[in-house]
Amino acid sequence: MNTLFTKANSSQDLIQNRLVRLAVVFNLIGCLILTLAPIVRLHSWSSDLRWHHWIGFLVWAIGTLSLNKKLSKMLPDRDPYLFPLVSILTGWGLLTIYRLDVDFGLRQTVWLLVSLIIGYTILRIRGILPFLRRYKYIWLMGGLLLTMLTFVVGVYPSGTGPALWLNLFGLYLQPSELLKVLLVIFLASYLADNLRIRFNLLQLLLPTLILVGAAFLILVAQHDLGTASLFIAIYAVTIYLASGKRRLLLISMLSIIAALIVGYMVYDVIQLRIEAWLNPWADPNGRSYQIVQSIIAVANGGIFGRGIGLGSPGVIPVAHSDFIFPAIVEETGLLGAVGIILLYAFFMIRGLAIALNAPNQFQRFLAAGLTTSISVQSILIIGGSIRLLPLTGVTLPFMSYGGSSLVTCITSAFLLLVISSDSEHQSARLERSQHYQLI
């Protein structure tokens, strides 16, 4: 077993090795329980055992342990908590997808392998952050063109639905997921390059408003309203961190409310989601069926859950994607829900700490933007699945089924790791030393 881990030459190695071991043991136990669940459910040793999820577990475990070893060599000063957090969330989500649908689990395993290769490539490319910064306009325009391409050759993988994906030889790519990372890279680079040059806030933000506005309009035209809302949040937080202008947050909040009001009057899908959020019991077998089943599943989980493999999460429509959180909570209970929320909260804390200690403004804004994207997306989908917020249709980062989402999240995490490794040398001076607060 020791050959799978590097010798702990630093406190970072020691902490990360222990946490990665814990993640492997956690998901190994989950695999064993899921395999034996049919015996418990039917009270019979002659039950057919589940085994397909072991394929995903082996790919995840080998990839996780290999990258853990590479990180110690390539990024010796990295944040030791970030990679274990990503690993346990990704492994937990993969096992849940296999629990819900084996075919989707196998597809997610392929995407996981692709994501890990991309992560390794990011580690291998020297100077990747300056490279991303230098060609910021090219990256964003490329993302916009790919997203616009869905108007011409876009498809919906399940048959009938919004054509938001591109078919790449049997693998489906959702350009709007990639566009989120490209937007953060553009904003971070642009603000770092121009913040000290232009003193007029409107003059500074005008190019960003044009490009981000174009991306927003494209997403609205696609009816991808969840991602469009996420874009507003990313833009607002990044600009606020760069300028310290609290009114920008207020303006952004009012913009989201105004967009909801206009969308409610124009789009039937928003009307259905708002009405289902306000009163799901008005039509529990129709337009509110999904959210009602989600609430029932969470309530059915109780404190300790019904047990892995013993619940009925398949009753929830699209449980492997938008509603993977209630599917997990039904079988792991309140303990599982609190565990997932704490993992995302800790991810946010580590991401903001990396931003605070970044060696330059570009890396600071980039780390803050990537952390905001994943954190806000987590809040939106968890809140939507338990009726704290209206449904947005976004995925739960690292855990939900979706190749584009997984690739985007893994890419963001590895960029954060690269930034954290540079952060140990010299932190950039804070332009605003006072606390960020609203009151």
Side-chain angles (χ1 to χ4, degrees), residues 303-338:
I303 296 178
F304 301 104
R306 299 185 63 183
I308 297 176
L310 302 179
S312 303
V315 175
I316 309 172
V318 204
H320 59 280
S321 182
D322 298 359
F323 284 82
I324 197 169
F325 179 75
I328 294 174
V329 173
E330 182 185 9
E331 298 191 338
T332 60
L334 180 63
L335 294 180
V338 172

Side-chain angles (χ1 to χ4, degrees), residues 165-433:
W165 286 262
L166 297 176
N167 188 350
L168 303 177
F169 306 103
L171 293 177
Y172 295 95
L173 173 69
Q174 188 175 3
S176 60
E177 289 287 341
L178 178 63
L179 189 59
K180 287 187 296 188
V181 176
L182 298 178
L183 172 67
V184 173
I185 293 172
F186 168 77
L187 287 176
S189 178
Y190 177 83
L191 292 172
D193 292 341
N194 296 278
L195 194 59
R196 294 184 179 182
I197 300 175
R198 302 178 182 177
F199 299 97
N200 184 289
L201 186 61
L202 180 59
Q203 183 183 7
L204 172 69
L205 298 183
L206 186 58
T208 67
L209 287 172
I210 294 173
L211 291 173
V212 174
F216 179 81
L217 291 176
I218 292 172
L219 294 173
V220 170
Q222 290 182 324
H223 295 188
D224 191 359
L225 304 176
T227 305
S229 302
L230 187 60
F231 270 39
I232 296 178
I234 294 172
Y235 182 80
V237 172
T238 305
I239 298 300
Y240 170 65
L241 292 176
S243 65
K245 304 294 184 181
R246 286 177 287 185
R247 62 177 177 269
L248 293 175
L249 292 179
L250 178 60
I251 293 173
S252 300
M253 187 180 300
L254 294 176
S255 299
I256 292 177
I257 295 174
L260 282 175
I261 294 174
V262 174
Y264 182 83
M265 295 185 294
V266 175
Y267 296 110
D268 292 338
V269 63
I270 294 184
Q271 294 180 13
L272 294 177
R273 289 180 176 180
I274 295 296
E275 292 171 1
W277 174 53
L278 294 175
N279 186 13
W281 311 110
D283 189 12
N285 294 320
R287 60 191 179 191
S288 303
Y289 181 78
Q290 196 172 32
I291 185 62
V292 168
Q293 293 301 316
S294 176
I295 295 171
I296 293 174
V298 172
N300 201 26
I303 296 178
F304 301 104
R306 299 185 63 183
I308 297 176
L310 302 179
S312 303
V315 175
I316 309 172
V318 204
H320 59 280
S321 182
D322 298 359
F323 284 82
I324 197 169
F325 179 75
I328 294 174
V329 173
E330 182 185 9
E331 298 191 338
T332 60
L334 180 63
L335 294 180
V338 172
I340 292 174
I341 293 172
L342 287 177
L343 288 173
Y344 281 110
F346 198 29
F347 180 93
M348 180 178 68
I349 291 171
R350 299 312 303 175
L352 293 178
I354 292 170
L356 185 65
N357 295 311
N360 56 60
Q361 293 287 26
F362 166 66
Q363 294 188 27
R364 174 167 292 156
F365 297 149
L366 179 60
L370 294 175
T371 303
T372 298
S373 175
I374 292 176
S375 302
V376 172
Q377 187 170 334
S378 304
I379 293 171
L380 287 176
I381 190 58
I382 291 177
S385 64
I386 57 178
R387 201 177 154 242
L388 286 177
L389 298 169
L391 287 173
T392 55
V394 296
T395 56
L396 186 60
F398 303 110
M399 303 191 79
S400 289
Y401 171 77
S404 303
S405 175
L406 185 61
V407 168
T408 300
C409 292
I410 295 292
T411 299
S412 301
F414 273 83
L415 289 176
L416 286 172
L417 285 169
V418 173
I419 296 172
S420 71
S421 184
D422 291 340
S423 301
E424 295 294 326
H425 302 297
Q426 181 64 43
S427 300
R429 184 173 66 89
L430 289 171
E431 298 297 330
R432 295 180 71 246
S433 59

